[in-house]
Amino acid sequence: MANVIIFTDRAPKTMLLPGTGVGASSYNYPAGSYKIASVVRNLGLEALVVNNCFSLTFKGVQEIINNNKDDLLWVGIGSTLMFVRSNMFDEYRTQWHNSNESTIDLDPIFGGSGGSADSRTFSNKSAATEMVWSTGEIERLSKYCEDLNAPLLIGGSWVTYMRNGNFGTIHKNTHLIKGYAEQYVKEFTLEKIKDPTSSPPYIVSNSNYDSQEFKESSILYSKHDLISPENWLPLEIARGCAFNCAYCNFDHRNSRDSYKNTTALREELLRNYEEYGVTSYMLVDDLYNDSKTKIRDLYDNVWSKLPFDVEWVGYMRLDMFWADPESIEIVKASGARMGSFGIETLHNKAGAKVGKGLGKERILETLHALKEKWGDEVLVASNFIAGLPYEDRESIQETIDWSANTDLLFSSQWSPLWITPPEHYNIVTEESLTNLAKDPDKWEIKWISPGNWINSAGLTFEEVDKMCVEARAKMPDDMKMIRSIFGFFDYADLRSVGMTHRQIVDKRYGRLDPKVLYNINRKIQQRVEQRLEYWLQVKV
Ligand code: SF4
């Protein structure tokens, strides 16, 4: 019987165009919940991670808990990726509470034709971003767990970024863990074994995680995670980011944390290869190429020392490649297949003022160098922000047009500059605010109405939001089709069910037979259904 059950999921594929509403599920593995499960597993206990929980009704959730209630210590929710922007929550929650089935078909609810909002822009005013399992669902789950003497522990960014007061109505059996959860989960699990009546405080806050312990740590999978050799698993190499971009709300920015011990990393990769045949990874760190030493050390002591051809995808920065051109080849030889780059702007002043100061000329120079050395073997996924300080409409439009037509980029995703409005300050924590939100005057940004700012070039949030919708319409067809590949999580999702790198490149250039994509999409749905079927009956 499972000692711990953790429910988690990630935002469905709501980037579909209206009329293409298929494939709302994601397939890959969210790192955080598996890391917490590893803490439990390392104590010699059983942890079951249910990682497509959006597809369960309350009836399904009860079945999974009931099947494993005898030795249950606590139940968890990993909230980090459980936010969705949609106008269909009422429909979802009605089914969640009332259905006589164990599962919900997400396609009509969060898929494109179900009326869900465009997840990448804010133009649909009726849509909101919410935790899919909100207070009503958590309350019901919490009461259910209370009857089994199992506290409900919620961790992840929903908890970390929201002010404590917003949880005032949550049931007393619910406990919140803000920040890093590893150490507390270990302490509490041991305590609960000793004293079954023990209960955590309402809120626990951990902003530190022992650096040495992190460097030696890894994710420990179990047979109940249903891993197959095709899977692309998450891998943590470092925590923290040395940069401090003005628009970024990553709470560990501006902190250079050292990366994991290479022996521990190599052992993690070897274990996953030997036990599950896995050779592919999503690096979930905020930045892979933040140091010359790190890139070389990881190549010398991890990637090149494996008895299999490893492939991986991760976040990268162009300026680091510009400063260290040799690293372009090293990253390719290390097994990279896609880098997601926040290019943000080609406007020199805007870039320099927000922490992306490479400038247009050197950005293009570096992209050409990447194309020359990587060809289509390592793909460049790019993100842009419309509305950065000092950038005007003409400059943004020029970059949108360029990004839609250049072969230097595999994909381009445009988002309007989001600044938390002052009206939200009573909801969110200080750590969740970007530097721009904390001090908009410094970047000459003014609030002109609730939720709408204006920059010094005269552009408002509402205008750039519309520009982003129009930018999407300009992108090549392959970026508008089902299963659009905007970044490396999308890439890994598709590779995890058997789509090849070549087919993904062919999709980009409009050469892929649509049947391939249709079949891959069906395969994701089938795999998710198979997983749910397994989790609904397994007694761990
Ligand atoms: S945007 Fe990326 S590089 Fe900049 S601070 Fe945030 S995580 Fe670091």
Side-chain angles (χ1 to χ4, degrees):
M1 295 289 159
N3 305 104
V4 167
I5 303 172
I6 300 174
F7 294 96
T8 192
D9 210 330
R10 49 263 182 247
K13 295 284 190 183
T14 50
M15 73 280 281
L16 314 176
L17 285 190
T20 62
V22 285
S25 293
S26 277
Y27 180 62
N28 54 38
Y29 291 71
S33 295
Y34 287 94
K35 186 71 194 303
I36 296 306
S38 307
V39 171
V40 176
R41 290 167 181 169
N42 277 321
L43 296 173
L45 301 170
E46 293 282 4
L48 176 66
V49 183
V50 178
N51 92 16
N52 287 101
C53 75
F54 292 158
S55 299
L56 293 169
T57 59
F58 182 57
K59 181 172 178 288
V61 171
Q62 282 175 295
E63 280 168 29
I64 292 175
I65 295 176
N66 263 332
N67 284 339
N68 293 281
K69 66 180 179 197
D70 292 355
D71 300 318
L72 197 59
L73 296 170
W74 55 270
V75 172
I77 297 179
S79 73
T80 297
L81 304 173
M82 288 178 71
F83 297 88
V84 171
R85 184 167 171 78
S86 177
N87 50 15
M88 298 292 284
F89 290 117
D90 288 349
E91 171 66 30
Y92 175 83
R93 289 170 188 154
T94 301
Q95 284 197 41
W96 192 90
H97 286 279
N98 303 320
S99 175
N100 292 322
E101 304 290 328
S102 307
T103 57
I104 299 176
D105 180 4
L106 295 181
D107 283 353
I109 302 175
F110 293 129
S113 64
S116 86
D118 186 325
S119 69
R120 316 261 167 165
T121 68
F122 297 81
S123 294
N124 185 339
K125 298 279 185 206
S126 66
T129 302
E130 292 184 21
M131 257 285 274
V132 174
W133 287 8
S134 192
T135 38
E137 293 66 51
I138 288 172
E139 165 116 0
R140 203 164 171 200
L141 175 57
S142 188
K143 280 186 187 152
Y144 189 76
C145 293
E146 187 181 35
D147 293 341
L148 302 172
N149 186 30
L152 179 66
L153 270 52
I154 311 182
S157 53
W158 183 66
V159 174
T160 304
Y161 287 160
M162 294 289 167
R163 276 191 196 281
N164 302 353
N166 292 297
F167 302 108
T169 56
I170 283 181
H171 185 265
K172 63 182 187 312
N173 188 44
T174 304
H175 306 270
L176 309 170
I177 306 181
K178 292 161 88 85
Y180 295 135
E182 286 97 332
Q183 274 166 331
Y184 182 72
V185 159
K186 185 174 168 186
E187 282 163 28
F188 174 66
T189 305
L190 291 171
E191 178 64 27
K192 183 91 171 98
I193 293 171
K194 261 201 279 168
D195 174 8
T197 63
S198 68
S199 182
Y202 175 45
I203 294 177
V204 176
S205 235
N206 290 302
S207 51
N208 296 314
Y209 178 33
D210 181 82
S211 161
Q212 198 49 40
E213 196 169 319
F214 169 70
K215 283 185 201 163
E216 305 290 335
S217 70
S218 64
I219 296 180
L220 191 63
Y221 293 100
S222 98
K223 65 177 183 191
H224 305 297
D225 299 328
L226 307 177
I227 291 164
S228 70
E230 282 176 335
N231 288 147
W232 284 59
L233 296 179
L235 184 71
E236 257 190 314
I237 289 185
R239 283 185 177 174
C241 172
F243 295 91
N244 191 12
C245 305
Y247 53 82
C248 177
N249 72 346
F250 175 44
D251 51 343
H252 294 281
R253 63 184 188 270
N254 205 16
S255 66
R256 185 179 281 277
D257 211 354
S258 51
Y259 52 96
K260 275 190 185 173
N261 176 321
T262 52
T263 309
L265 269 173
R266 205 171 54 238
E267 279 168 6
E268 181 171 3
L269 298 172
L270 284 172
R271 186 175 63 227
N272 292 336
Y273 177 63
E274 282 157 14
E275 291 184 12
Y276 306 104
V278 168
T279 58
S280 313
Y281 289 88
M282 301 175 284
L283 309 193
V284 293
D285 312 14
D286 293 275
L287 187 56
Y288 180 73
N289 64 334
D290 53 352
S291 113
K292 287 184 176 186
T293 317
K294 175 182 163 190
I295 287 174
R296 287 160 177 78
D297 191 18
L298 289 172
Y299 173 76
D300 291 341
N301 296 308
V302 181
W303 307 121
S304 68
K305 293 288 185 295
L306 299 169
F308 56 87
D309 289 334
V310 69
E311 295 181 283
W312 54 264
V313 288
Y315 288 111
M316 301 176 197
R317 271 184 75 121
L318 283 180
D319 48 5
M320 298 303 288
F321 282 125
W322 182 84
D324 178 19
E326 195 186 65
S327 66
I328 300 175
E329 293 283 16
I330 298 174
V331 165
K332 181 180 168 194
S334 298
R337 294 306 244 159
M338 176 181 269
S340 283
F341 292 83
I343 298 177
E344 325 305 3
T345 179
L346 295 186
H347 188 278
N348 289 346
K349 183 173 177 185
K353 294 282 183 187
V354 298
K356 289 281 165 81
L358 191 58
K360 182 175 177 177
E361 204 175 303
R362 291 184 296 181
I363 287 174
L364 296 177
E365 212 177 274
T366 312
L367 286 172
H368 277 286
L370 293 181
K371 191 72 185 174
E372 191 191 313
K373 301 215 167 92
W374 288 353
D376 285 331
E377 285 178 62
V378 188
L379 306 174
V380 174
S382 63
N383 291 284
F384 291 90
I385 300 176
L388 287 172
Y390 314 105
E391 183 157 16
D392 59 18
R393 174 181 286 277
E394 289 67 36
S395 168
I396 296 171
Q397 196 56 56
E398 201 180 301
T399 309
I400 288 175
D401 294 342
W402 168 79
S403 69
N405 293 302
T406 179
D407 277 353
L408 296 174
L409 305 175
F410 174 81
S411 64
S412 317
Q413 186 184 323
W414 280 85
S415 308
L417 174 65
W418 171 253
I419 305 176
T420 306
E423 313 78 271
H424 291 189
Y425 288 0
N426 58 346
I427 307 173
V428 299
T429 55
E430 175 83 7
E431 301 90 73
S432 74
L433 296 180
T434 63
N435 295 344
L436 271 166
K438 285 180 192 160
D439 189 7
D441 289 348
K442 185 172 164 193
W443 283 274
E444 297 179 50
I445 286 184
K446 303 258 172 279
W447 288 103
I448 47 175
S449 58
N452 195 21
W453 48 253
I454 187 164
N455 74 6
S456 62
L459 266 180
T460 64
F461 173 77
E462 286 178 1
E463 285 170 318
V464 292
D465 188 32
K466 281 201 201 91
M467 289 182 86
C468 290
V469 175
E470 288 159 16
R472 174 82 56 82
K474 287 188 172 227
M475 293 299 149
D477 279 349
D478 58 280
M479 287 189 222
K480 296 183 233 162
M481 289 166 69
I482 53 171
R483 292 285 170 198
S484 296
I485 305 164
F486 285 109
F488 70 71
F489 288 104
D490 304 323
Y491 176 96
D493 226 16
L494 297 177
R495 294 290 312 274
S496 281
V497 285
M499 198 164 171
T500 63
H501 182 82
R502 179 51 45 198
Q503 285 173 327
I504 284 174
V505 172
D506 284 349
K507 179 179 182 301
R508 164 70 176 85
Y509 294 107
R511 301 188 294 247
L512 186 72
D513 180 348
K515 275 195 221 129
V516 174
L517 205 53
Y518 178 77
N519 288 336
I520 286 286
N521 204 49
R522 275 182 58 83
K523 211 163 154 188
I524 290 186
Q525 297 309 111
Q526 283 164 356
R527 293 268 182 97
V528 170
E529 282 161 23
Q530 284 163 5
R531 280 176 174 181
L532 291 165
E533 220 172 276
Y534 177 85
W535 290 325
L536 279 163
Q537 54 74 35
V538 72
K539 295 177 168 55
V540 172

